[in-house]
Amino acid sequence: MSQVLVASNRGPVSFSLADDGTLTARRGGGGLVSGLAAVTGAARAQDGDPSQPDVLWVCAALGEADRSAARRAPGGRLDLDGHDTGGAAVRMLDIPAATFHRAYNAVANSTLWFVHHLLYDTPRLPHFDAHARRDWQSYEAYNAAFADALARDAAPGAKAAVQDYHLSLAPRMLRDRRPDLRIVHFSHTPWAPPEYYRLLPDDVGAAVLDGILGADHAGFLAERWAAAFLDCCEQLLPGARVDRAARTVTRGGHVTRVGVHPLGVDGERLRARAAEPDVAERRRALRAQVGDRKLIVRIDRTELSKNIVRGLAAYREMLANHPEWHGRVVHLAFAYPSRYDLPEYREYTAAVQRLAAQIRDEYGTASWDPLILRVDDDYPRSLAAYRVADVLVVNPIRDGMNLVAKEGPVVSEDGCALVLSREAGAAAELAGDALTVNPYDVSQTAEALHQALLMPPDRRAERCTRLAAAATALPPQRWFADQLAALD
């Protein structure tokens, strides 16, 4: 097989550091990790040379524990230092902390993420000044560090799979260094339409587009995100020629194909994990807590785009409009911390907690807690909630895909109804059997929750079966393999 290099901000392993200096490794998860493992199997060294593994994953050290591990390992190669990396050789880059912080928090998460998810409060933000230029220089340096590592480690003719908005510049930088490589870039986020993308400084917006066009293939989760990327290239990038029929962009003599690769879930693996004893234990605890009441479940990170506050407001309005549900339904809201080092996210988490408290104060009784909010991350508990949910609500303002909408139906015991935002990428595949809503319309979402609770069990089970089939049609293994195949 050709050598495969994967580049992503987060790698397949992370570390914690004890007071005595002991490092503890924890395996990563998610579609990329499982997809890579299934496609490549164990990382075999070419001709027995450990410096030329069949699979090499390049990632960044995310904190001081990761940096310590990267410094102790030879050249940052964690697999050569005895760490379990899931069968792949892993090079963790020790990027200076200040550079990483500005690139990751100020540009990737506070600028590019906000643009692609349409999150800015535009009367006040964004505000691109001299500090923003300094941050952009760090983002360039961060991407250059990845391009340097990939260029150094790649065998002739290798395939490089560069992941997401953190590394928008890396494909062009890598092509300049190693024109012999075949490069794919995949965007896990939505892509902003041109009129919103123009919020970026002109040169920054052009650099991001040109960076991705350094790849031979640019992948997206949904047709609408791919179309928006083509629109931006056509309208905002001088010298770019877009062929919509062939779905290609040509610039400077280089052709980039644009593809759509929806990411599904590994049904067999997910169901097996949901059947393990720790999940069963949490399922019993949830049932003991809520009794035989109907269950509305949501599982999210406290990420601005997930729209948790409007989702809770919709539940509150449903209780106001339909008092027949008082005492008969419980909303399990699992909102796990995200990006807590950014003030916007701390404020948003506080807003979620305030509204949850108001709902409990307004409707709760001595024998009925209408809302259970948990902010501590507990994956087995999330799987248990999937299993027993009557209704799963997924109402993001905007989402590249949203795997919660796919995972829930796959592990549901009796079939759950899905209330789904039309702005989630998953809606392209699941809308036919979901109750789709405008994520900004709280009243519509409240009525959708009511209708979902009223749905007859047999109809709910039939729809859930079809949702599960759609969710598992393109599992991570195929998703990743299709991207590599596109380079051929």
Side-chain angles (χ1 to χ4, degrees):
M1 61 177 284
S2 300
Q3 186 192 35
V4 174
L5 301 101
V6 177
S8 63
N9 178 68
R10 186 180 302 274
V13 63
S14 62
F15 295 87
S16 58
L17 188 64
D19 293 339
D20 63 359
T22 303
L23 286 168
T24 301
R26 183 174 66 177
R27 290 282 303 278
L32 182 60
V33 173
S34 58
L36 177 66
V39 170
T40 62
R44 299 172 300 278
Q46 296 181 4
D47 301 320
D49 182 357
S51 68
Q52 290 274 293
D54 282 351
V55 180
L56 177 63
W57 196 319
V58 180
C59 61
L62 304 185
E64 285 308 312
D66 283 2
R67 291 189 184 94
S68 180
R71 291 165 188 160
R72 296 180 191 183
R77 277 285 298 275
L78 303 179
D79 55 298
L80 299 183
D81 201 34
H83 296 294
D84 178 11
T85 56
V90 176
R91 188 180 300 283
M92 184 172 278
L93 303 180
D94 179 16
I95 296 170
T99 300
F100 176 85
H101 171 76
R102 289 191 290 263
Y104 180 71
N105 285 322
V107 177
N109 288 341
S110 295
T111 303
L112 298 181
W113 180 274
F114 272 58
V115 166
H116 289 316
H117 290 84
L118 317 185
L119 291 176
Y120 275 121
D121 177 10
T122 52
R124 299 188 305 112
L125 296 170
H127 184 87
F128 296 114
D129 56 10
H131 290 290
R133 287 293 166 182
R134 179 203 62 183
D135 296 337
W136 177 250
Q137 291 170 356
S138 292
Y139 184 76
E140 291 176 318
Y142 167 88
N143 275 255
F146 274 84
D148 289 340
L150 292 167
R152 181 177 62 249
D153 290 328
K159 296 178 178 181
V162 181
Q163 303 296 312
D164 223 2
Y165 62 102
H166 313 91
L167 296 172
S168 298
L169 307 182
R172 173 64 64 193
M173 292 176 170
L174 181 57
R175 180 158 302 284
D176 290 343
R177 290 159 171 76
R178 290 288 303 273
D180 62 302
L181 302 183
R182 289 168 290 173
I183 305 168
V184 59
H185 181 276
F186 194 86
S187 294
H188 295 260
T189 65
W191 195 272
E195 59 271 20
Y196 204 89
Y197 191 82
R198 288 180 188 272
L199 289 175
L200 292 172
D202 292 352
D203 60 323
V204 169
V208 170
L209 293 171
D210 182 68
I212 291 175
L213 292 180
D216 300 288
H217 187 83
F220 297 87
L221 287 166
E223 290 283 351
R224 63 183 299 194
W225 315 141
F229 176 77
L230 292 173
D231 290 343
C232 286
C233 290
E234 187 171 59
Q235 297 181 34
L236 307 178
L237 193 60
R241 188 172 73 254
V242 175
D243 184 333
R244 293 185 182 276
R247 207 148 61 181
T248 60
V249 182
T250 304
R251 190 165 193 253
H254 178 71
V255 178
T256 301
R257 295 183 301 278
V258 176
V260 177
H261 308 278
L263 176 59
V265 300
D266 185 332
E268 182 178 352
R269 179 176 297 186
L270 186 62
R271 291 186 184 103
R273 180 66 184 90
E276 291 184 8
D278 58 344
V279 177
E281 178 184 349
R282 285 160 176 80
R283 180 197 179 283
R284 288 190 294 271
L286 286 175
R287 270 298 171 205
Q289 188 172 16
V290 304
D292 59 357
R293 298 180 176 94
K294 294 280 191 178
L295 290 175
I296 298 174
V297 171
R298 75 171 304 133
I299 298 170
D300 291 296
R301 292 177 294 110
T302 48
E303 154 60 50
L304 303 182
S305 67
K306 300 302 183 182
N307 207 25
I308 301 170
V309 170
R310 287 191 187 91
L312 296 182
Y315 178 63
R316 183 185 198 176
E317 186 165 318
M318 187 201 77
L319 294 178
N321 293 341
H322 299 281
E324 65 269 27
W325 288 115
H326 292 189
R328 298 175 53 215
V329 65
V330 173
H331 189 359
L332 302 176
F334 298 158
Y336 299 143
S338 176
R339 299 174 185 167
Y340 211 67
D341 47 352
L342 298 178
E344 299 93 336
Y345 288 79
R346 293 195 296 272
E347 293 164 8
Y348 191 73
T349 300
V352 169
Q353 293 170 324
R354 284 195 301 270
L355 182 52
Q358 290 168 11
I359 293 171
R360 287 195 296 266
D361 289 344
E362 186 172 355
Y363 292 103
T365 67
S367 59
W368 174 50
D369 188 349
L371 175 64
I372 299 171
L373 175 67
R374 294 287 183 268
V375 296
D376 55 313
D377 194 350
D378 188 330
Y379 183 60
R381 186 180 61 198
S382 295
L383 291 176
Y386 284 149
R387 288 179 61 180
V388 298
D390 295 290
V391 179
L392 179 65
V393 56
V394 179
N395 69 318
I397 293 169
R398 196 168 165 87
D399 218 333
M401 176 54 63
N402 195 294
L403 290 181
V404 168
K406 295 187 171 185
E407 292 171 346
V410 169
V411 299
S412 176
E413 292 178 358
D414 299 319
C416 66
L418 175 63
V419 175
L420 178 64
S421 167
R422 68 190 185 193
E423 298 303 314
E429 302 157 79
L430 306 183
D433 286 295
L435 287 76
T436 56
V437 296
N438 175 348
Y440 298 98
D441 191 336
V442 171
S443 294
Q444 182 194 45
T445 305
E447 188 59 24
L449 292 174
H450 174 60
Q451 294 301 322
L453 289 169
L454 291 176
M455 190 178 296
D458 56 345
R459 184 178 174 211
R460 193 177 70 203
E462 290 171 4
R463 291 169 71 132
C464 187
T465 298
R466 291 193 294 268
L467 288 169
T472 55
L474 291 166
Q477 300 91 327
R478 181 176 169 187
W479 166 79
F480 191 75
D482 284 354
Q483 293 175 59
L484 297 181
L487 295 177
D488 296 327

